[in-house]
């Protein structure tokens, strides 16, 4: 090396070194003037291992900070005597004073006190300690342990005041209903407003969310919390935030779960012997012709097992979930990328659901004052298969899937030998030859389920972005915007081996047919808020929020039907070869403009005040009715901070809250207010044998006076903590009064219309919610935490339309009952109660005069049951003759059951032992009743169908040999069209809903630094249900609405799930 | 920073100003009534909507002949049905009754809307008058059906304007009938002659006049018993008969009248007003009905005109016919096609008079192929010339001051009978009204009543006739007793309707839904 060159380099390096040393020295010199600086190193960990990404700062020196690395190591220069602050989300912040030690290892405790947690509320956040409203947080970690397809499925019982139930078990079409603090609206949706990553959605397609992506899940319940969402806040607000990137090295999480599902229960149906015996009693002549030929006797049927249709329809189904996420970032850029695949077969053949989903989240710090963020979720999800609770071909109770499953004969009578069945018998035939196809739409349930094509697939994109600008200290502008786009495609095809497509039903006019239907919906949102926070003289804190938002939504749909399709084997792609049938197109739009404001003020963090106001203008209403104004106010008093409480050491927290406010509901159609002239094809008429001419009709009356529905809610709450918050307790009482109900009201037919939207009626919900959280055991290796919640809600209609004192509702399932009211909403009673006839046991032999010829004639002193008196026989159903006129008719109907639970709740337990983690979760509903219409068909055969199999329970029916039976005799069900309490059952249940056991493999066993953790788990859902309900599952409501809950007919069975999981973090 | 405050403030203000515009959305997939009715075409489309109600399943699409027309002529032929209108065992909540009530008021509402907007478009006044006349006819006819089945009903002559204006009391039956007459008379002056139309599917002068005669006969009978209306009935019937321009006459063949209906052929001489049905539902339209499928000849072979044959003629109707009366074996099919492969008819044993299908509407004559098993394009005959003649004869006989029927009355009936016997219209003899039957006003009255059944059975007129003659209950009872006596045990169920009938069945109940929604209504007696 040339020395000439070396020299300048040495000089330069020396210079640099000198410069560096100078810098170093001056820094030292500066600090040295106050305190001596030492370098502190160490590791930060929690009970399960090292913690990366923990922020370490020096108190009162905001510029000095560092993060722990991947191995939890850190090093920081700190003056002796200063305080190091270790903080990480989810952990209790710890402070350590720097003394002589240069090695400081810290073990962080996970947050047990929730008070310091940040709670996301509408247009902002608060610490739990400073909340004035009633906000419930769902423990997302517990929720994620449940092996469910969508988060909603796991919600039931998690939070007080939130009633979550599904209509039945249909994959992807469960109809999950989330009702917060009781239903306000009688005919309109009661589902809460969802705000996902700041984006409010009335119809959020929660199925598109990957439960693993969720970071926080909060439910705003009282008016103080919800009124900031104004016109859409009345049903409560659910705020979901998804996971974002965190500072630190990339964390890769891969997750695989595989498992199985099975039906939770099957119904016992009659054996061939019992079946023939029953039918013989029902109709001896036909039964003899069909089953007792060639010397066969009823007894002979004991020898044959018959066909078990349920076994053929139900399957053990596969469930698989794969997900992968990468999250990381630095102080300027944080990112999160995640994706998942979920595929879940149904427990009935040829049904399933799936979701493919990806999410990208980016947070970028542009400058000191400007931050931007982006959050995009794309999801494609769908489901397929026959919907059990929907009618198939024909009409009436016989056109439902489960009717065919339970009702199909176990034996045809043609042969007793099971080996013959496959070839000659009806297992291969769609329609049982012996049924009357004009009155009974029973089909081979296996063939139709296998052949029916029904799919629904949705592409759903949500993208939103925000920018915040710190205008000045304490003053922040946030501008956000987003779009949402969903395209749903529904398709169906019915070939000749399906109930709807078979030519064997004479009412099938379409031959083999199919439909394709597209629905597109897109919406956009812009929100602009300004927040100003100011502390005055250390005692007063003021936070002011103001803003305005604009949003719009467009929807359109188009679809067609093609019938008499010539090549049915080609299915949907060849629909164009069929004859075009009905087409449909639609388009609609709505806009919403809002101004909002909120003031939070507290004095010494002890007296907390919140007032909020929102004005919403909606295009759904006429000018003049468009704007709704929704104020609220709340006050909280942290009584624990008062001097007189200081002595009560065992109380660690005490806060009183109260709030009052107005919220709204605008869930009507975009143009429900307008009268409509339409030209539907159905209004055509053929003149002179010509192609039908177009008809123009006014298809809706419209109501230009339509306006918001308003809910006024008052809430009192108390939050208590004991023994350093090892016990925490929250209680809330509330009263919600909803007036100007948006009601799709029935109007007299003389108007020329059937229904019109009106603002009428008033509904009140009152309730009490209690939540108790306890840390039962906490030692180094073992801990046990419990959470218990219970809620009571009472619902009352305080005013109805047109001075009505009741409102009747029907449910559709069988023609004989289609106009019979099963539900009544009475003034000063609940919005729904079962309505019908009260049973009075059965007619017994003593109630009759026996003639010498052996005929029983009902004594004149006994009331009839709606049938002609001569047809009433011993063992028939008997009703109470309420008005004592000797006849039981529509005048004798009364309230016969209550549909709403008296209380609901959940009980969650977490056990932790070293690397093992056990979660046991119970959920219940108590006091609600169910109308079990399945029993009308299968425990008595009220529609009097031939060769219809029955539940095995009906073997115990009344007969002259079995007069103690409570079940009416064969054919003794009385008048068709009578709903009675005979079929009402207690729907209370306690469900062991989730059990999950996981084990984290200790780091030392992994023997590599590549892998942060490996967790094995086994989880089960719907494990066991304690109930008196005789049907398949007590969580059922196949015609669910506020007015018609708790009806069971042909529900898709509920599944229990068992999955095995592996989670690896790199 | 100041500028930012200002711009934020300005933006808010801008938004405020723009809000009104922002919140204004216009529907894109339907029109408003206020901007419709601007052209002749709009009026015609609205008129089509008023006609469409006629073919609704709750009216002539299905229920009227399947559920409601259970009389001494035909009964429902399925044992399993123990409840329903067909067997007179139903409650005010019955869905069919409710659907019919609704359909009729929908029709009235559509007519009212059209009448209120009739003068809006600039158009030829003649054409406007025709539209108005047809609309008035239909509104009157819907009220006539309401009046026959429910008695005095709320009389709605204007469209409902707001959602709050819903409570309407019942008008008296006389008021309803007066309105019907008013509308029909105005209609009569406006609609076209049937010859100008060339088909019987639209309201025409003959149809309106015939309907006036029918309405007047109903007013003259039970329950109004306004005897003065016989003269009016006779006047209107005569007006049809004497209309040389229209030149109405009986089709020489009774069978051909119904073959024409099935074969989509018009015969404006005889068939004056029909409900039009069209197609086989192999397309998107739903304008086919169930005439002939519900109440056709039982035939399970889809190629020969599928029908379940649910309406069985009664032995009483069978026995009403003379041996040589060809109408008997047309109206009461002596055979069926019992299986999907049947190609030849299987005849009933002569003594079996309880299982025979009504055979008036025969699907084998349909020309629209392929035939649907459930729906047919057969038009429903609401008004036939034969009925005009019989109405004339009836009114004339009631007006007779001599205790004898007039010759003209008897002659008109003879025309019908000769045609029924398959004889030339001018061939007097065996078919003619016998001397005994024309010997007195009363005997001719009795004969005419039977003759109406022989000629017009299964055309939806019988129940109304029996009620206005105050014969309904007794006739139903007698029919049931006969069935109970002669039918084999498996078919005694056909007596159900007759045994179940009671006084309250003279009227339908007001649907229970309607009762609960309109507090001013009073229920019909017995319900």
């Amino acid at each position: 090396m040339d020395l000439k060159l070396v020299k300048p380099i040495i000089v330069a390096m020396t210079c640099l070194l000198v410069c560096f040393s100078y810098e170093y020295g001056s820094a030292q010199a500066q600090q040295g003037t106050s305190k001596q600086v030492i370098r502190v190193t160490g590791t930060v960990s929690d009970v399960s291992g090292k913690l990366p990404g923990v922020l370490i700062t020096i108190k009162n020196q905001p510029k000095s900070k560092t993060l722990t690395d991947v191995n939890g190591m850190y090093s920081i220069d700190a003056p002796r005597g200063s305080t190091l602050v270790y903080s990480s989300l989810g952990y209790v912040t710890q402070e350590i004073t720097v003394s002589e030690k240069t090695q400081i290892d810290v073990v962080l405790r996970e947050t047990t006190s929730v008070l310091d947690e940040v709670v996301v509320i509408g247009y902002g956040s608060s610490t739990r300690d400073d909340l004035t409203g009633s906000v419930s947080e769902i423990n997302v970690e517990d929720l994620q342990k449940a092996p469910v397809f969508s988060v909603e499925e796991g919600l039931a019982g998690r939070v007080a005041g939130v009633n979550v139930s599904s209509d039945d078990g249909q994959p992807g079409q469960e109809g999950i209903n989330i009702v917060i603090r009781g239903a306000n609206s009688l005919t309109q949706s009661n589902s809460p407003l969802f705000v996902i990553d700041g984006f409010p959605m009335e119809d959020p397609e929660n199925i598109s969310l990957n439960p693993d992506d969720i970071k926080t899940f909060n439910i705003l319940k009282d008016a103080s919390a919800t009124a900031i969402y104004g016109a859409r806040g009345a049903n409560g607000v659910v705020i979901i935030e998804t996971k974002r990137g965190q500072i630190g090295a990339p964390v890769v999480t891969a997750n695989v779960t595989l498992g199985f599902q099975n039906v939770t229960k099957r119904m016992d149906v009659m054996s061939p012997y019992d079946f023939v015996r029953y039918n013989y009693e029902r109709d001896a002549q036909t039964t003899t012709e069909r089953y007792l030929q060639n010397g066969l006797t009823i007894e002979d049927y004991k020898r044959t097992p018959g066909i078990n249709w349920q076994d053929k329809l139900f399957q053990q189904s596969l469930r698989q979930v794969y997900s992968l996420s990468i999250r990381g970032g630095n102080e300027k850029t944080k990112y999160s990328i995640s994706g998942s695949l979920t595929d879940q077969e149904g427990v009935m053949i040829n049904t399933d659901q799936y979701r493919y989903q990806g999410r990208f989240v980016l947070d970028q710090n542009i400058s000191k004052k400007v931050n931007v963020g982006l959050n995009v979720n794309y999801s494609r999800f769908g489901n397929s298969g026959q919907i059990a609770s929907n009618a198939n071909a024909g009409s009436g109770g016989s056109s439902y899937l489960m009717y065919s499953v339970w009702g199909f004969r176990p034996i045809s009578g043609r042969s007793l030998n099971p080996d013959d069945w496959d070839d000659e018998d009806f297992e291969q035939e769609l329609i049982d030859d012996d049924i009357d196809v004009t009155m009974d739409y029973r089909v081979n349930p296996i063939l139709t389920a296998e052949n029916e094509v029904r799919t629904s697939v949705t592409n759903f994109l949500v993208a939103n972005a925000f920018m915040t600008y710190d205008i000045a200290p304490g003053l922040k502008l946030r501008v956000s915007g987003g779009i949402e786009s969903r395209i749903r495609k529904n398709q169906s095809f019915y070939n000749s081996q399906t109930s709807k497509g078979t030519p064997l039903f004479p009412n099938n006019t379409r031959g083999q047919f199919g439909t394709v239907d597209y629905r597109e919906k897109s919406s956009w949102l812009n929100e602009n808020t300004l927040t100003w926070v100011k502390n005055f003289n250390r005692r007063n804190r003021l936070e002011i929020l103001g803003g305005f938002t604009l949003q719009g939504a467009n929807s359109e749909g188009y679809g067609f039907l093609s019938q008499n399709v010539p090549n049915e084997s080609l299915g949907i792609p060849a629909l164009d070869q069929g004859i075009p049938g009905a087409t449909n197109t639609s388009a609609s739009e709505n806009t919403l403009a809002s101004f909002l404001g909120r003031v939070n003020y507290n004095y010494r963090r002890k007296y907390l005040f919140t007032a909020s106001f929102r004005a919403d203008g909606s295009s759904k209403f006429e000018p003049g009715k468009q704007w709704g104004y929704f104020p609220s106010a709340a006050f909280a008093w942290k009584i624990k901070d008062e001097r007189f409480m200081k002595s009560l050491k065992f109380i660690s927290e005490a806060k009183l809250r109260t709030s009052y406010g107005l919220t709204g509901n605008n869930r009507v159609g975009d143009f429900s207010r307008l009268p409509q002239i339409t030209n539907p094809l159905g209004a055509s008429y053929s003149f002179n044998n010509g192609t039908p001419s177009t008809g123009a009709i006014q298809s809706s009356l419209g109501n230009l006076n339509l306006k918001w529905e308003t809910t006024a809610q008052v809430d009192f709450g108390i939050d208590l903590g004991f023994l350093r918050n090892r016990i925490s307790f929250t209680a809330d009482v509330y009263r919600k009064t909803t007036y100007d109900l948006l009601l799709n009201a029935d109007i007299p037919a003389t108007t020329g219309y059937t229904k019109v939207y009106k603002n009428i009626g008033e509904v009140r919900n009152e309730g009490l919610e209690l939540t108790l959280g306890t840390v039962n055991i906490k030692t180094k290796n073992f801990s046990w935490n419990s959470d218990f919640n219970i809620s009571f809600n009472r619902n009352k209609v305080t005013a109805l339309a047109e001075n009505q004192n009741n409102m009747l509702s029907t449910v559709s399932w069988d023609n004989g009952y289609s106009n019979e009211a099963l539900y009544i909403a009475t003034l000063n009673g609940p919005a729904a109660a079962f309505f019908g006839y009260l049973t009075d046991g059965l007619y017994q032999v003593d109630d009759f005069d026996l003639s010498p010829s052996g005929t029983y004639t009902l004594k004149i002193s006994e009331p009839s049951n709606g049938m002609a008196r001569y047809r009433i026989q011993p063992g028939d159903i008997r009703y109470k003759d309420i008005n004592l006129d000797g006849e039981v008719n529509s005048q004798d109907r009364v309230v016969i059951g209550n549909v709403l639970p008296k209380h609901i709740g959940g009980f969650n337990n977490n056990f932790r032992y070293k690397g093992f983690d056990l979660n046991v979760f119970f959920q219940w509903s108590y006091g609600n009743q169910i109308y079990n219409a399945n029993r009308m068909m299968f425990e008595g055969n009220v529609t009097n169908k031939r060769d219809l199999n029955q539940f095995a329970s009906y073997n115990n029916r009344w007969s002259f040999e079995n007069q103690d039976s409570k079940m009416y005799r064969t054919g003794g069900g009385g008048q068709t069209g009578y709903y009675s309490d005979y079929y009402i059952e207690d729907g209370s249940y306690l469900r062991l809903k989730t059990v999950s056991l996981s084990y984290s493999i200790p780091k030392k066993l992994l023997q590599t630094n590549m892998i942060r953790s490996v967790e094995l788990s086994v989880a089960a859902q719907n494990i066991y249900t304690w109930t008196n309900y005789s049907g398949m599952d007590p969580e059922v409501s196949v015609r669910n609405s506020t007015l018609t809950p708790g009806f069971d007919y042909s529900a898709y069975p509920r599944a229990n799930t068992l999955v095995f999981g592996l989670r690896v973090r790199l | 920073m100041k500028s930012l405050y200002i711009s934020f403030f300005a933006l808010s203000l801008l938004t405020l100003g723009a809000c009104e515009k922002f919140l204004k959305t216009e529907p894109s997939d339907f029109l408003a009534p206020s901007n419709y009715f601007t052209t002749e075409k709009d009026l015609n489309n609205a008129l089509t909507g008023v006609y469409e109600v006629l073919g609704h399943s709750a009216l002539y699409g299905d229920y009227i002949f399947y559920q409601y027309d259970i009389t001494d002529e035909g009964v429902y032929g399925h044992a399993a049905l123990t409840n329903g209108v067909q067997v007179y065992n139903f409650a005010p909540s019955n869905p069919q009754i409710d659907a019919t009530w609704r359909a009729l008021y929908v029709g009235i509402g559509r007519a009212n809307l059209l009448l209120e907007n009739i003068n809006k478009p600039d158009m030829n006044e003649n054409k406007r008058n025709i539209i108005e006349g047809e609309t008035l006819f239909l509104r009157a006819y819907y009220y006539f059906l309401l009046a026959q089945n429910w008695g005095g009903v709320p009389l709605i002559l204007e469209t409902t304007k707001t959602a709050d204006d819903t409570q309407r009391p019942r008008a008296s039956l006389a008021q309803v009938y007066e309105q019907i007459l008013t509308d029909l008379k105005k209609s009569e002056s406006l609609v076209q002659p049937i010859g100008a139309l060339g088909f019987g599917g639209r309201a025409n002068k003959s149809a309106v006049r015939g309907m006036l005669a029918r309405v007047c006969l109903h007013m003259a009978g039970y329950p109004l018993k306004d005897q003065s209306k016989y003269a009016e009935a006779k006047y209107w019937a005569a007006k049809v008969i004497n209309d040389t321009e229209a030149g109405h006459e009986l089709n020489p063949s009774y069978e051909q009248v119904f073959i024409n209906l099935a074969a989509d052929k018009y015969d404006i001489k005889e068939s004056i007003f029909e409900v039009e049905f069209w197609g086989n539902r192999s397309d998107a339209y739903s304008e086919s009905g169930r005439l002939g499928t519900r109440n056709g000849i039982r035939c399970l072979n889809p190629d020969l005109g599928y029908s379940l044959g649910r309406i069985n003629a009664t032995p009483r109707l069978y026995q009403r016919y003379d041996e040589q009366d060809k109408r008997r074996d047309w109206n009461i099919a002596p055979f069926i096609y019992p299986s999907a492969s049947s190609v030849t008819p299987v005849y009933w044993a002569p003594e079996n008079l309880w299982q025979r299908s009504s055979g008036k509407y025969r699907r084998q004559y349909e020309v629209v192929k392929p035939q649907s098993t459930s729906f047919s394009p057969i038009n429903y005959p609401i008004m036939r010339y034969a009925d005009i003649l019989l109405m004339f004869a009836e009114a004339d006989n009631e007006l007779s001051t001599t205790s004898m029927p007039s010759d003209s009355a008897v002659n008109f009936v003879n025309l019908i009978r000769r045609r029924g016997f398959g004889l030339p219209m001018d061939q007097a003899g065996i078919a003619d009204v016998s001397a005994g039957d024309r010997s007195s006003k009363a005997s001719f009255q009795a004969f005419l009543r039977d003759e109406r059944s022989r000629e017009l059975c299964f055309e939806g007129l019988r129940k109304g006739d029996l009620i206005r003659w105050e014969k309904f209950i007794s006739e139903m009872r007698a029919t049931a007793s006969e069935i109970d006596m002669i039918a084999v045990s498996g078919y005694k169920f056909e007596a159900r309707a007759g045994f179940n009938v009671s006084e309250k069945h003279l009227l339908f109940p007001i649907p229970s839904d309607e009762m609960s929604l309109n507090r001013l209504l009073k229920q019909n007696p017995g319900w």
Side-chain angles (χ1 to χ4, degrees), chain A residues 8-26:
Chain A
I9 293 176
I10 293 174
V11 171
M13 283 183 69
T14 313
C15 276
L16 266 173
L17 251 170
V18 168
C19 291
F20 196 74
S21 332
Y22 175 77
E23 278 282 309
Y24 184 66
S26 69

Side-chain angles (χ1 to χ4, degrees), chain A residues 438 475 506 579 677 684 820, chain B residues 5 31 93 282 287 310 373-374:
Chain A
T438 65
L475 183 65
I579 297 165
I677 291 276
S684 307
E820 300 292 335
Chain B
Y5 280 130
L31 296 167
S93 58
S282 69
E287 295 312 301
R310 279 283 191 259
T373 49
S374 306

Side-chain angles (χ1 to χ4, degrees), chain A residues 890-962:
Chain A
S890 59
Q891 310 298 318
D892 296 301
R893 290 178 299 171
V894 291
V895 169
I896 54 173
N898 66 297
V899 297
L900 294 174
K902 291 191 170 67
H903 56 80
I904 55 168
F907 182 42
N908 188 39
N909 289 279
N910 276 309
F911 302 90
R912 193 164 285 161
Y913 175 72
K914 292 189 173 168
F916 289 96
D917 208 329
L918 174 68
N919 175 263
V920 180
F921 176 57
F922 294 90
Q923 174 245 331
W924 80 84
S925 171
Y926 175 80
N928 58 308
Q929 291 178 314
I930 298 172
Y931 195 88
N932 188 352
N934 293 313
R935 278 175 53 216
M936 302 180 84
M937 280 289 180
F938 302 108
E939 218 174 78
N941 195 1
V942 290
T943 58
N944 199 16
K945 296 284 196 290
R946 273 187 185 148
D947 295 319
L948 186 70
N949 204 6
Q950 300 285 301
F951 290 154
S953 51
Y954 197 48
N955 289 331
N956 184 34
R957 61 192 173 272
W958 192 97
S959 66
F960 283 97
E961 296 77 41
N962 186 23

Side-chain angles (χ1 to χ4, degrees), chain A residues 436 438-439 471 475 506-507 563 579 591 677 682 684-686 688-689 696 749 751 758 819-820 975-976, chain B residues 1 5 22-23 29 31 45 52 78 83 93 102 160 163 264 266 276 282-283 287 308 310 373-375 514:
Chain A
D436 178 349
T438 65
M439 304 188 72
I471 301 165
L475 183 65
N507 69 350
Q563 53 198 6
I579 297 165
T591 53
I677 291 276
S684 307
Y685 191 75
S686 163
N688 205 1
N689 283 325
T751 58
K758 285 184 170 185
N819 273 34
E820 300 292 335
Q975 183 81 305
T976 319
Chain B
M1 195 165 77
Y5 280 130
F22 177 71
L23 294 177
D29 58 357
L31 296 167
N45 287 348
E52 187 264 329
H78 198 282
N83 300 293
S93 58
R102 282 180 187 285
T160 307
D264 284 350
Y266 296 98
E276 299 231 24
S282 69
D283 44 45
E287 295 312 301
L308 293 167
R310 279 283 191 259
T373 49
S374 306
F375 296 98
E514 193 75 0

Side-chain angles (χ1 to χ4, degrees), chain A residues 385-402:
Chain A
Q386 195 178 144
I387 295 180
S389 60
N390 285 3
N392 287 315
S395 59
S398 70
S399 57
Y400 291 82
L401 178 64
M402 295 312 291

Side-chain angles (χ1 to χ4, degrees), chain B residues 280-297:
Chain B
N280 56 4
R281 301 219 178 185
S282 69
D283 44 45
Y285 290 106
S286 51
E287 295 312 301
S288 51
R290 289 183 183 268
L291 193 62
T293 72
R294 295 287 204 196
N295 57 349
I297 301 171

